[in-house]
Amino acid sequence: LLAAVRAATRGASRIVDLFAGCGTFTLPLSETAEVHAVESEAPMLAALDRGWRTATGLRRVTTEARDLSLGEWLREIDD
């Protein structure tokens, strides 16, 4: 699956990883592009951030804790 995602994002300078979890895709993708990781669970983002900060050779990774459920998106549109 990672190989397919790498192929789909080849050449991108910035990538958004929704439902990023602890960085299964974020960290490998940050070898070649900046990645913005979005996840609803703060502990998962904390683990991702620790992994990124201790790794070498990765580009910038930013994180955002956000509820990505459809209900939240619809409420934002209605506001």
Short mmCIF file of all heavy atoms in Angstrom, two decimals:
data_model
loop_
_atom_site.label_atom_id
_atom_site.label_comp_id
_atom_site.label_asym_id
_atom_site.label_seq_id
_atom_site.Cartn_x
_atom_site.Cartn_y
_atom_site.Cartn_z
N LEU A 1 0.83 -1.19 0.00
CA LEU A 1 0.00 0.00 0.00
C LEU A 1 0.88 1.25 0.00
O LEU A 1 0.56 2.22 -0.69
CB LEU A 1 -0.93 -0.03 1.20
CG LEU A 1 -2.11 0.90 1.19
CD1 LEU A 1 -2.94 0.82 -0.07
CD2 LEU A 1 -3.00 0.64 2.38
N LEU A 2 1.96 1.23 0.78
CA LEU A 2 2.85 2.39 0.81
C LEU A 2 3.44 2.66 -0.56
O LEU A 2 3.55 3.82 -0.98
CB LEU A 2 3.96 2.20 1.85
CG LEU A 2 4.96 3.33 1.98
CD1 LEU A 2 4.27 4.65 2.29
CD2 LEU A 2 6.00 3.00 3.04
N ALA A 3 3.80 1.61 -1.28
CA ALA A 3 4.35 1.80 -2.63
C ALA A 3 3.34 2.49 -3.54
O ALA A 3 3.71 3.38 -4.33
CB ALA A 3 4.77 0.46 -3.22
N ALA A 4 2.07 2.13 -3.43
CA ALA A 4 1.03 2.76 -4.25
C ALA A 4 0.86 4.23 -3.87
O ALA A 4 0.69 5.09 -4.75
CB ALA A 4 -0.29 2.01 -4.08
N VAL A 5 0.91 4.54 -2.58
CA VAL A 5 0.77 5.92 -2.14
C VAL A 5 1.99 6.73 -2.59
O VAL A 5 1.85 7.87 -3.05
CB VAL A 5 0.58 6.00 -0.61
CG1 VAL A 5 0.60 7.44 -0.12
CG2 VAL A 5 -0.73 5.34 -0.22
N ARG A 6 3.17 6.16 -2.49
CA ARG A 6 4.37 6.85 -2.98
C ARG A 6 4.25 7.16 -4.47
O ARG A 6 4.58 8.24 -4.92
CB ARG A 6 5.62 6.02 -2.72
CG ARG A 6 6.10 6.01 -1.31
CD ARG A 6 7.41 5.21 -1.27
NE ARG A 6 7.84 4.87 0.05
CZ ARG A 6 8.74 5.55 0.76
NH1 ARG A 6 9.26 6.64 0.27
NH2 ARG A 6 9.08 5.14 1.95
N ALA A 7 3.77 6.19 -5.23
CA ALA A 7 3.61 6.40 -6.68
C ALA A 7 2.59 7.49 -6.97
O ALA A 7 2.80 8.32 -7.85
CB ALA A 7 3.19 5.09 -7.35
N ALA A 8 1.51 7.50 -6.21
CA ALA A 8 0.45 8.50 -6.43
C ALA A 8 0.90 9.91 -6.06
O ALA A 8 0.39 10.89 -6.60
CB ALA A 8 -0.79 8.13 -5.63
N THR A 9 1.84 10.03 -5.14
CA THR A 9 2.28 11.35 -4.68
C THR A 9 3.65 11.74 -5.23
O THR A 9 4.17 12.79 -4.87
CB THR A 9 2.32 11.40 -3.14
OG1 THR A 9 3.21 10.38 -2.66
CG2 THR A 9 0.94 11.20 -2.56
N ARG A 10 4.21 10.92 -6.11
CA ARG A 10 5.53 11.21 -6.68
C ARG A 10 5.54 12.61 -7.31
O ARG A 10 4.65 12.99 -8.04
CB ARG A 10 5.88 10.17 -7.74
CG ARG A 10 7.29 10.34 -8.28
CD ARG A 10 7.71 9.20 -9.18
NE ARG A 10 7.89 8.01 -8.36
CZ ARG A 10 7.23 6.88 -8.52
NH1 ARG A 10 6.33 6.77 -9.48
NH2 ARG A 10 7.44 5.85 -7.72
N GLY A 11 6.55 13.37 -6.96
CA GLY A 11 6.69 14.72 -7.50
C GLY A 11 6.02 15.80 -6.69
O GLY A 11 6.24 16.99 -6.92
N ALA A 12 5.20 15.43 -5.73
CA ALA A 12 4.51 16.43 -4.89
C ALA A 12 5.50 17.05 -3.91
O ALA A 12 6.35 16.35 -3.36
CB ALA A 12 3.37 15.78 -4.12
N SER A 13 5.38 18.33 -3.70
CA SER A 13 6.25 18.99 -2.71
C SER A 13 5.56 19.09 -1.35
O SER A 13 6.22 19.23 -0.33
CB SER A 13 6.66 20.37 -3.19
OG SER A 13 5.52 21.19 -3.39
N ARG A 14 4.22 19.02 -1.35
CA ARG A 14 3.43 19.04 -0.12
C ARG A 14 2.32 18.01 -0.21
O ARG A 14 1.67 17.89 -1.25
CB ARG A 14 2.85 20.43 0.13
CG ARG A 14 3.92 21.45 0.51
CD ARG A 14 3.34 22.80 0.71
NE ARG A 14 3.01 23.31 -0.63
CZ ARG A 14 2.38 24.43 -0.87
NH1 ARG A 14 1.97 25.17 0.11
NH2 ARG A 14 2.14 24.83 -2.09
N ILE A 15 2.10 17.32 0.90
CA ILE A 15 1.09 16.26 0.94
C ILE A 15 0.28 16.43 2.23
O ILE A 15 0.83 16.79 3.27
CB ILE A 15 1.77 14.87 0.95
CG1 ILE A 15 2.59 14.67 -0.32
CG2 ILE A 15 0.74 13.76 1.13
CD1 ILE A 15 3.50 13.46 -0.29
N VAL A 16 -1.02 16.18 2.16
CA VAL A 16 -1.88 16.13 3.34
C VAL A 16 -2.23 14.68 3.58
O VAL A 16 -2.69 13.98 2.68
CB VAL A 16 -3.16 16.97 3.15
CG1 VAL A 16 -4.10 16.79 4.33
CG2 VAL A 16 -2.81 18.43 2.95
N ASP A 17 -2.00 14.22 4.79
CA ASP A 17 -2.31 12.84 5.18
C ASP A 17 -3.48 12.89 6.16
O ASP A 17 -3.31 13.25 7.33
CB ASP A 17 -1.09 12.19 5.82
CG ASP A 17 -1.30 10.73 6.19
OD1 ASP A 17 -2.39 10.19 5.90
OD2 ASP A 17 -0.39 10.13 6.77
N LEU A 18 -4.69 12.55 5.68
CA LEU A 18 -5.87 12.53 6.54
C LEU A 18 -5.95 11.18 7.24
O LEU A 18 -5.58 10.16 6.68
CB LEU A 18 -7.13 12.75 5.70
CG LEU A 18 -7.19 14.06 4.92
CD1 LEU A 18 -8.47 14.13 4.10
CD2 LEU A 18 -7.10 15.25 5.86
N PHE A 19 -6.43 11.19 8.48
CA PHE A 19 -6.47 9.99 9.31
C PHE A 19 -5.06 9.43 9.45
O PHE A 19 -4.82 8.23 9.27
CB PHE A 19 -7.44 8.93 8.73
CG PHE A 19 -8.84 9.43 8.54
CD1 PHE A 19 -9.28 9.92 7.32
CD2 PHE A 19 -9.72 9.43 9.62
CE1 PHE A 19 -10.57 10.38 7.16
CE2 PHE A 19 -11.03 9.90 9.46
CZ PHE A 19 -11.44 10.38 8.23
N ALA A 20 -4.12 10.30 9.78
CA ALA A 20 -2.70 9.98 9.77
C ALA A 20 -2.26 8.98 10.83
O ALA A 20 -1.20 8.36 10.68
CB ALA A 20 -1.89 11.27 9.93
N GLY A 21 -3.03 8.85 11.89
CA GLY A 21 -2.61 7.92 12.94
C GLY A 21 -1.26 8.30 13.50
O GLY A 21 -0.95 9.46 13.72
N CYS A 22 -0.41 7.30 13.69
CA CYS A 22 0.92 7.56 14.26
C CYS A 22 1.97 7.75 13.18
O CYS A 22 3.17 7.80 13.48
CB CYS A 22 1.31 6.46 15.23
SG CYS A 22 1.39 4.83 14.47
N GLY A 23 1.56 7.86 11.91
CA GLY A 23 2.50 8.22 10.87
C GLY A 23 2.90 7.12 9.90
O GLY A 23 3.93 7.22 9.24
N THR A 24 2.10 6.10 9.76
CA THR A 24 2.42 4.99 8.86
C THR A 24 2.76 5.47 7.46
O THR A 24 3.70 4.96 6.84
CB THR A 24 1.26 3.99 8.81
OG1 THR A 24 1.00 3.52 10.13
CG2 THR A 24 1.57 2.82 7.90
N PHE A 25 2.02 6.45 6.96
CA PHE A 25 2.31 7.02 5.65
C PHE A 25 3.07 8.34 5.78
O PHE A 25 3.93 8.66 4.95
CB PHE A 25 1.03 7.24 4.84
CG PHE A 25 0.35 5.97 4.46
CD1 PHE A 25 -0.82 5.59 5.07
CD2 PHE A 25 0.88 5.15 3.48
CE1 PHE A 25 -1.46 4.41 4.73
CE2 PHE A 25 0.25 3.96 3.13
CZ PHE A 25 -0.92 3.59 3.75
N THR A 26 2.75 9.12 6.79
CA THR A 26 3.34 10.45 6.96
C THR A 26 4.87 10.39 6.98
O THR A 26 5.53 11.14 6.25
CB THR A 26 2.85 11.12 8.26
OG1 THR A 26 1.43 11.25 8.20
CG2 THR A 26 3.48 12.48 8.46
N LEU A 27 5.40 9.56 7.82
CA LEU A 27 6.86 9.55 7.98
C LEU A 27 7.59 9.10 6.71
O LEU A 27 8.52 9.79 6.26
CB LEU A 27 7.26 8.74 9.21
CG LEU A 27 6.76 9.34 10.53
CD1 LEU A 27 7.09 8.42 11.69
CD2 LEU A 27 7.33 10.73 10.76
N PRO A 28 7.21 8.01 6.07
CA PRO A 28 7.88 7.66 4.82
C PRO A 28 7.71 8.71 3.72
O PRO A 28 8.65 8.99 2.97
CB PRO A 28 7.24 6.33 4.41
CG PRO A 28 6.66 5.77 5.65
CD PRO A 28 6.29 6.95 6.50
N LEU A 29 6.51 9.31 3.64
CA LEU A 29 6.28 10.32 2.61
C LEU A 29 7.10 11.58 2.86
O LEU A 29 7.44 12.31 1.92
CB LEU A 29 4.80 10.67 2.52
CG LEU A 29 3.89 9.55 1.99
CD1 LEU A 29 2.43 9.97 2.08
CD2 LEU A 29 4.27 9.17 0.57
N SER A 30 7.43 11.84 4.13
CA SER A 30 8.20 13.05 4.44
C SER A 30 9.67 12.92 4.05
O SER A 30 10.43 13.86 4.20
CB SER A 30 8.07 13.41 5.93
OG SER A 30 8.73 12.46 6.74
N GLU A 31 10.05 11.78 3.51
CA GLU A 31 11.41 11.65 2.97
C GLU A 31 11.57 12.51 1.72
O GLU A 31 12.67 12.94 1.41
CB GLU A 31 11.71 10.18 2.63
CG GLU A 31 11.78 9.28 3.85
CD GLU A 31 11.86 7.81 3.49
OE1 GLU A 31 11.82 7.46 2.29
OE2 GLU A 31 11.97 6.99 4.43
N THR A 32 10.46 12.77 1.02
CA THR A 32 10.54 13.51 -0.24
C THR A 32 9.66 14.75 -0.31
O THR A 32 9.74 15.50 -1.28
CB THR A 32 10.17 12.58 -1.42
OG1 THR A 32 8.84 12.09 -1.21
CG2 THR A 32 11.14 11.42 -1.53
N ALA A 33 8.77 14.95 0.66
CA ALA A 33 7.86 16.10 0.61
C ALA A 33 7.50 16.54 2.02
O ALA A 33 7.62 15.76 2.97
CB ALA A 33 6.57 15.70 -0.13
N GLU A 34 7.06 17.79 2.15
CA GLU A 34 6.51 18.24 3.42
C GLU A 34 5.13 17.61 3.57
O GLU A 34 4.39 17.49 2.59
CB GLU A 34 6.37 19.76 3.43
CG GLU A 34 7.69 20.48 3.44
CD GLU A 34 7.52 21.99 3.53
OE1 GLU A 34 6.37 22.48 3.68
OE2 GLU A 34 8.54 22.68 3.44
N VAL A 35 4.79 17.20 4.80
CA VAL A 35 3.51 16.52 5.02
C VAL A 35 2.77 17.20 6.16
O VAL A 35 3.35 17.52 7.20
CB VAL A 35 3.72 15.03 5.36
CG1 VAL A 35 2.38 14.34 5.56
CG2 VAL A 35 4.52 14.33 4.26
N HIS A 36 1.48 17.44 5.95
CA HIS A 36 0.59 17.94 7.00
C HIS A 36 -0.28 16.76 7.40
O HIS A 36 -1.07 16.25 6.58
CB HIS A 36 -0.26 19.10 6.50
CG HIS A 36 -1.15 19.67 7.55
ND1 HIS A 36 -0.66 20.35 8.65
CD2 HIS A 36 -2.50 19.64 7.68
CE1 HIS A 36 -1.68 20.71 9.42
NE2 HIS A 36 -2.80 20.29 8.85
N ALA A 37 -0.12 16.28 8.62
CA ALA A 37 -0.83 15.11 9.12
C ALA A 37 -2.03 15.53 9.96
O ALA A 37 -1.88 16.31 10.90
CB ALA A 37 0.12 14.24 9.95
N VAL A 38 -3.21 15.01 9.63
CA VAL A 38 -4.43 15.35 10.35
C VAL A 38 -4.99 14.06 10.97
O VAL A 38 -5.13 13.05 10.29
CB VAL A 38 -5.48 15.98 9.41
CG1 VAL A 38 -6.72 16.39 10.18
CG2 VAL A 38 -4.89 17.16 8.65
N GLU A 39 -5.29 14.14 12.26
CA GLU A 39 -5.75 12.97 13.01
C GLU A 39 -6.59 13.46 14.17
O GLU A 39 -6.31 14.52 14.74
CB GLU A 39 -4.54 12.18 13.51
CG GLU A 39 -4.81 11.09 14.52
CD GLU A 39 -5.74 10.01 14.01
OE1 GLU A 39 -5.60 9.54 12.87
OE2 GLU A 39 -6.64 9.64 14.79
N SER A 40 -7.63 12.72 14.55
CA SER A 40 -8.48 13.16 15.65
C SER A 40 -7.92 12.79 17.02
O SER A 40 -8.28 13.41 18.01
CB SER A 40 -9.89 12.58 15.49
OG SER A 40 -9.85 11.17 15.57
N GLU A 41 -7.05 11.81 17.08
CA GLU A 41 -6.52 11.34 18.37
C GLU A 41 -5.18 11.99 18.68
O GLU A 41 -4.16 11.68 18.04
CB GLU A 41 -6.37 9.82 18.35
CG GLU A 41 -7.68 9.07 18.14
CD GLU A 41 -8.66 9.30 19.27
OE1 GLU A 41 -8.22 9.38 20.44
OE2 GLU A 41 -9.87 9.38 19.00
N ALA A 42 -5.18 12.88 19.65
CA ALA A 42 -3.96 13.62 20.02
C ALA A 42 -2.80 12.71 20.40
O ALA A 42 -1.65 13.00 20.02
CB ALA A 42 -4.26 14.61 21.15
N PRO A 43 -3.01 11.59 21.13
CA PRO A 43 -1.87 10.73 21.45
C PRO A 43 -1.19 10.14 20.20
O PRO A 43 0.03 9.96 20.17
CB PRO A 43 -2.48 9.62 22.31
CG PRO A 43 -3.70 10.23 22.91
CD PRO A 43 -4.22 11.16 21.85
N MET A 44 -1.97 9.87 19.17
CA MET A 44 -1.38 9.37 17.92
C MET A 44 -0.51 10.45 17.28
O MET A 44 0.59 10.16 16.79
CB MET A 44 -2.49 8.94 16.95
CG MET A 44 -3.32 7.81 17.47
SD MET A 44 -2.38 6.29 17.59
CE MET A 44 -2.96 5.47 16.14
N LEU A 45 -1.00 11.69 17.28
CA LEU A 45 -0.20 12.78 16.72
C LEU A 45 1.06 13.02 17.55
O LEU A 45 2.11 13.34 16.99
CB LEU A 45 -1.03 14.06 16.64
CG LEU A 45 -2.09 14.09 15.55
CD1 LEU A 45 -2.89 15.37 15.64
CD2 LEU A 45 -1.48 13.93 14.18
N ALA A 46 0.97 12.86 18.85
CA ALA A 46 2.15 13.02 19.70
C ALA A 46 3.20 11.97 19.35
O ALA A 46 4.40 12.27 19.27
CB ALA A 46 1.76 12.93 21.17
N ALA A 47 2.77 10.74 19.12
CA ALA A 47 3.70 9.68 18.74
C ALA A 47 4.32 9.97 17.38
O ALA A 47 5.52 9.80 17.18
CB ALA A 47 2.98 8.33 18.72
N LEU A 48 3.51 10.44 16.45
CA LEU A 48 4.01 10.81 15.12
C LEU A 48 5.05 11.92 15.25
O LEU A 48 6.13 11.83 14.65
CB LEU A 48 2.84 11.27 14.25
CG LEU A 48 3.08 11.52 12.77
CD1 LEU A 48 1.76 11.52 12.03
CD2 LEU A 48 3.83 12.78 12.49
N ASP A 49 4.74 12.93 16.02
CA ASP A 49 5.66 14.06 16.19
C ASP A 49 6.99 13.60 16.82
O ASP A 49 8.05 14.01 16.38
CB ASP A 49 5.01 15.14 17.05
CG ASP A 49 5.84 16.41 17.09
OD1 ASP A 49 6.04 17.02 16.02
OD2 ASP A 49 6.33 16.75 18.18
N ARG A 50 6.91 12.74 17.82
CA ARG A 50 8.15 12.21 18.43
C ARG A 50 8.97 11.44 17.41
O ARG A 50 10.19 11.57 17.35
CB ARG A 50 7.82 11.33 19.63
CG ARG A 50 7.53 12.09 20.90
CD ARG A 50 7.50 11.20 22.14
NE ARG A 50 6.61 10.06 22.02
CZ ARG A 50 5.31 10.08 22.27
NH1 ARG A 50 4.72 11.21 22.64
NH2 ARG A 50 4.57 8.99 22.14
N GLY A 51 8.30 10.62 16.61
CA GLY A 51 9.01 9.87 15.57
C GLY A 51 9.70 10.78 14.58
O GLY A 51 10.85 10.55 14.20
N TRP A 52 9.00 11.81 14.15
CA TRP A 52 9.57 12.74 13.19
C TRP A 52 10.76 13.48 13.78
O TRP A 52 11.78 13.65 13.14
CB TRP A 52 8.49 13.74 12.72
CG TRP A 52 9.03 14.80 11.82
CD1 TRP A 52 9.45 14.63 10.54
CD2 TRP A 52 9.24 16.17 12.14
NE1 TRP A 52 9.89 15.83 10.03
CE2 TRP A 52 9.77 16.79 11.00
CE3 TRP A 52 9.01 16.94 13.28
CZ2 TRP A 52 10.08 18.14 10.97
CZ3 TRP A 52 9.32 18.27 13.22
CH2 TRP A 52 9.84 18.87 12.09
N ARG A 53 10.63 13.92 15.03
CA ARG A 53 11.70 14.69 15.66
C ARG A 53 12.95 13.85 15.94
O ARG A 53 14.04 14.39 16.01
CB ARG A 53 11.21 15.34 16.95
CG ARG A 53 10.21 16.45 16.68
CD ARG A 53 9.72 17.14 17.93
NE ARG A 53 8.67 18.09 17.61
CZ ARG A 53 8.86 19.29 17.07
NH1 ARG A 53 10.08 19.70 16.79
NH2 ARG A 53 7.85 20.08 16.81
N THR A 54 12.81 12.56 16.09
CA THR A 54 13.97 11.71 16.37
C THR A 54 14.57 11.11 15.10
O THR A 54 15.69 10.59 15.14
CB THR A 54 13.62 10.58 17.35
OG1 THR A 54 12.57 9.80 16.81
CG2 THR A 54 13.20 11.15 18.70
N ALA A 55 13.86 11.16 14.00
CA ALA A 55 14.37 10.63 12.73
C ALA A 55 15.28 11.65 12.06
O ALA A 55 15.25 12.84 12.38
CB ALA A 55 13.20 10.28 11.82
N THR A 56 16.06 11.20 11.12
CA THR A 56 16.92 12.10 10.36
C THR A 56 16.55 12.02 8.88
O THR A 56 16.01 11.01 8.42
CB THR A 56 18.41 11.75 10.53
OG1 THR A 56 18.60 10.39 10.11
CG2 THR A 56 18.84 11.89 11.97
N GLY A 57 16.80 13.09 8.18
CA GLY A 57 16.60 13.11 6.74
C GLY A 57 15.18 13.31 6.28
O GLY A 57 14.87 13.09 5.11
N LEU A 58 14.29 13.71 7.17
CA LEU A 58 12.90 13.93 6.79
C LEU A 58 12.61 15.41 6.60
O LEU A 58 13.21 16.25 7.26
CB LEU A 58 11.96 13.36 7.85
CG LEU A 58 12.11 11.88 8.17
CD1 LEU A 58 11.09 11.47 9.24
CD2 LEU A 58 11.96 11.02 6.92
N ARG A 59 11.71 15.70 5.72
CA ARG A 59 11.26 17.08 5.53
C ARG A 59 10.26 17.45 6.62
O ARG A 59 9.86 16.62 7.42
CB ARG A 59 10.66 17.24 4.15
CG ARG A 59 11.70 16.95 3.09
CD ARG A 59 11.34 17.53 1.80
NE ARG A 59 12.36 17.18 0.83
CZ ARG A 59 12.37 17.60 -0.40
NH1 ARG A 59 11.41 18.39 -0.82
NH2 ARG A 59 13.32 17.26 -1.21
N ARG A 60 9.82 18.68 6.60
CA ARG A 60 8.94 19.18 7.66
C ARG A 60 7.62 18.42 7.71
O ARG A 60 6.99 18.15 6.69
CB ARG A 60 8.67 20.66 7.44
CG ARG A 60 7.85 21.29 8.56
CD ARG A 60 7.78 22.76 8.42
NE ARG A 60 6.97 23.10 7.25
CZ ARG A 60 6.18 24.16 7.18
NH1 ARG A 60 6.11 24.99 8.18
NH2 ARG A 60 5.49 24.40 6.09
N VAL A 61 7.20 18.10 8.92
CA VAL A 61 5.90 17.49 9.18
C VAL A 61 5.16 18.37 10.16
O VAL A 61 5.68 18.70 11.22
CB VAL A 61 6.05 16.06 9.76
CG1 VAL A 61 4.70 15.52 10.22
CG2 VAL A 61 6.68 15.13 8.74
N THR A 62 3.97 18.78 9.79
CA THR A 62 3.10 19.53 10.71
C THR A 62 1.91 18.65 11.05
O THR A 62 1.55 17.75 10.28
CB THR A 62 2.63 20.85 10.07
OG1 THR A 62 1.99 20.57 8.82
CG2 THR A 62 3.80 21.80 9.85
N THR A 63 1.32 18.90 12.20
CA THR A 63 0.19 18.07 12.63
C THR A 63 -0.99 18.94 13.02
O THR A 63 -0.83 20.10 13.40
CB THR A 63 0.59 17.19 13.83
OG1 THR A 63 0.97 18.02 14.92
CG2 THR A 63 1.72 16.23 13.47
N GLU A 64 -2.16 18.35 12.91
CA GLU A 64 -3.40 19.04 13.29
C GLU A 64 -4.36 18.02 13.88
O GLU A 64 -4.68 17.01 13.24
CB GLU A 64 -4.03 19.68 12.06
CG GLU A 64 -5.33 20.37 12.31
CD GLU A 64 -5.93 20.97 11.04
OE1 GLU A 64 -5.29 20.97 9.98
OE2 GLU A 64 -7.09 21.42 11.13
N ALA A 65 -4.79 18.27 15.11
CA ALA A 65 -5.81 17.43 15.74
C ALA A 65 -7.17 17.95 15.29
O ALA A 65 -7.52 19.10 15.55
CB ALA A 65 -5.68 17.46 17.25
N ARG A 66 -7.92 17.10 14.60
CA ARG A 66 -9.21 17.54 14.06
C ARG A 66 -10.11 16.33 13.89
O ARG A 66 -9.68 15.28 13.43
CB ARG A 66 -8.98 18.20 12.71
CG ARG A 66 -10.23 18.71 12.06
CD ARG A 66 -9.92 19.28 10.69
NE ARG A 66 -11.14 19.77 10.11
CZ ARG A 66 -11.44 21.04 9.94
NH1 ARG A 66 -10.57 21.96 10.29
NH2 ARG A 66 -12.56 21.41 9.40
N ASP A 67 -11.38 16.49 14.22
CA ASP A 67 -12.36 15.44 14.02
C ASP A 67 -12.69 15.39 12.53
O ASP A 67 -13.22 16.34 11.98
CB ASP A 67 -13.61 15.73 14.85
CG ASP A 67 -14.65 14.64 14.77
OD1 ASP A 67 -14.47 13.69 13.97
OD2 ASP A 67 -15.63 14.71 15.50
N LEU A 68 -12.38 14.27 11.91
CA LEU A 68 -12.60 14.14 10.48
C LEU A 68 -13.89 13.41 10.12
O LEU A 68 -14.11 13.06 8.97
CB LEU A 68 -11.41 13.41 9.84
CG LEU A 68 -10.10 14.18 9.88
CD1 LEU A 68 -8.95 13.29 9.44
CD2 LEU A 68 -10.18 15.42 9.02
N SER A 69 -14.74 13.20 11.11
CA SER A 69 -16.01 12.51 10.83
C SER A 69 -16.89 13.39 9.95
O SER A 69 -16.84 14.62 10.00
CB SER A 69 -16.73 12.16 12.13
OG SER A 69 -17.13 13.33 12.80
N LEU A 70 -17.72 12.77 9.18
CA LEU A 70 -18.59 13.48 8.25
C LEU A 70 -19.49 14.47 8.97
O LEU A 70 -19.72 15.57 8.48
CB LEU A 70 -19.44 12.49 7.44
CG LEU A 70 -20.36 13.09 6.39
CD1 LEU A 70 -19.59 13.94 5.39
CD2 LEU A 70 -21.13 12.00 5.68
N GLY A 71 -19.97 14.11 10.15
CA GLY A 71 -20.84 15.01 10.90
C GLY A 71 -20.20 16.34 11.20
O GLY A 71 -20.82 17.39 11.08
N GLU A 72 -18.93 16.33 11.57
CA GLU A 72 -18.21 17.58 11.85
C GLU A 72 -18.09 18.43 10.59
O GLU A 72 -18.28 19.64 10.63
CB GLU A 72 -16.81 17.29 12.40
CG GLU A 72 -16.76 17.11 13.88
CD GLU A 72 -17.27 18.32 14.64
OE1 GLU A 72 -16.79 19.44 14.42
OE2 GLU A 72 -18.16 18.13 15.46
N TRP A 73 -17.76 17.82 9.47
CA TRP A 73 -17.62 18.56 8.21
C TRP A 73 -18.94 19.21 7.83
O TRP A 73 -18.97 20.36 7.40
CB TRP A 73 -17.14 17.64 7.09
CG TRP A 73 -15.73 17.23 7.24
CD1 TRP A 73 -15.26 16.15 7.93
CD2 TRP A 73 -14.57 17.90 6.74
NE1 TRP A 73 -13.89 16.11 7.87
CE2 TRP A 73 -13.44 17.16 7.15
CE3 TRP A 73 -14.38 19.04 5.98
CZ2 TRP A 73 -12.15 17.54 6.81
CZ3 TRP A 73 -13.08 19.41 5.64
CH2 TRP A 73 -12.00 18.67 6.06
N LEU A 74 -20.03 18.48 7.97
CA LEU A 74 -21.33 19.03 7.62
C LEU A 74 -21.72 20.19 8.53
O LEU A 74 -22.29 21.18 8.07
CB LEU A 74 -22.39 17.94 7.65
CG LEU A 74 -22.27 16.86 6.57
CD1 LEU A 74 -23.31 15.78 6.79
CD2 LEU A 74 -22.35 17.46 5.19
N ARG A 75 -21.40 20.07 9.82
CA ARG A 75 -21.69 21.18 10.74
C ARG A 75 -20.92 22.43 10.35
O ARG A 75 -21.42 23.53 10.42
CB ARG A 75 -21.39 20.76 12.18
CG ARG A 75 -22.50 19.97 12.82
CD ARG A 75 -22.29 19.82 14.32
NE ARG A 75 -21.25 18.88 14.64
CZ ARG A 75 -21.39 17.55 14.62
NH1 ARG A 75 -22.54 17.01 14.27
NH2 ARG A 75 -20.39 16.76 14.95
N GLU A 76 -19.67 22.27 9.92
CA GLU A 76 -18.87 23.43 9.53
C GLU A 76 -19.44 24.09 8.28
O GLU A 76 -19.45 25.31 8.15
CB GLU A 76 -17.42 23.02 9.30
CG GLU A 76 -16.69 22.73 10.58
CD GLU A 76 -15.24 22.37 10.35
OE1 GLU A 76 -14.72 22.62 9.24
OE2 GLU A 76 -14.62 21.85 11.27
N ILE A 77 -19.94 23.30 7.37
CA ILE A 77 -20.53 23.84 6.14
C ILE A 77 -21.80 24.63 6.47
O ILE A 77 -22.04 25.70 5.91
CB ILE A 77 -20.84 22.71 5.14
CG1 ILE A 77 -19.53 22.11 4.63
CG2 ILE A 77 -21.69 23.22 3.99
CD1 ILE A 77 -19.71 20.85 3.82
N ASP A 78 -22.59 24.12 7.40
CA ASP A 78 -23.83 24.80 7.79
C ASP A 78 -23.56 26.11 8.52
O ASP A 78 -24.40 27.01 8.49
CB ASP A 78 -24.69 23.89 8.67
CG ASP A 78 -25.34 22.78 7.88
OD1 ASP A 78 -25.45 22.92 6.63
OD2 ASP A 78 -25.74 21.77 8.48
N ASP A 79 -22.41 26.22 9.19
CA ASP A 79 -22.11 27.45 9.94
C ASP A 79 -21.75 28.52 9.00
O ASP A 79 -21.73 29.38 8.57
CB ASP A 79 -20.95 27.21 10.91
CG ASP A 79 -21.36 26.30 12.06
OD1 ASP A 79 -22.56 26.11 12.27
OD2 ASP A 79 -20.46 25.78 12.73
#
